[in-house]
Amino acid sequence: MTCILVLAPFFDSKADTLNSLGVAMALICLNPFSVTDPSAVMSVCAILGISVIEPLLSAKRGLKPHWVRF
């Protein structure tokens, strides 16, 4: 995922979490045995939950992270 963040400016593309996760999943799918591996599935679900679901829940509850001061 770090390679995507570093190489994205060279391709005039936005480097965000979901793009990196998509490329990582494409690489994982190249090996058919790793698709059914529970650790791969839980890792993808954890990153997806952190990057998509948690901000929605925090916005709904009106919470801000402690490092936001404005």
Side-chain angles (χ1 to χ4, degrees), residues 40-68:
V41 173
M42 286 190 289
S43 295
V44 169
C45 289
I47 297 296
L48 194 62
I50 290 170
S51 62
V52 174
I53 298 170
E54 192 277 329
L56 294 174
L57 292 176
S58 293
K60 190 173 187 177
R61 289 183 290 173
L63 299 176
K64 291 184 190 176
H66 67 278
W67 64 85
V68 177

Side-chain angles (χ1 to χ4, degrees), residues 1 4-5 14-25 44 46-52:
M1 289 175 71
I4 302 301
L5 292 173
K14 183 179 177 186
D16 63 351
T17 306
L18 295 179
N19 287 341
S20 299
L21 185 63
V23 171
M25 278 306 302
V44 169
I47 297 296
L48 194 62
I50 290 170
S51 62
V52 174

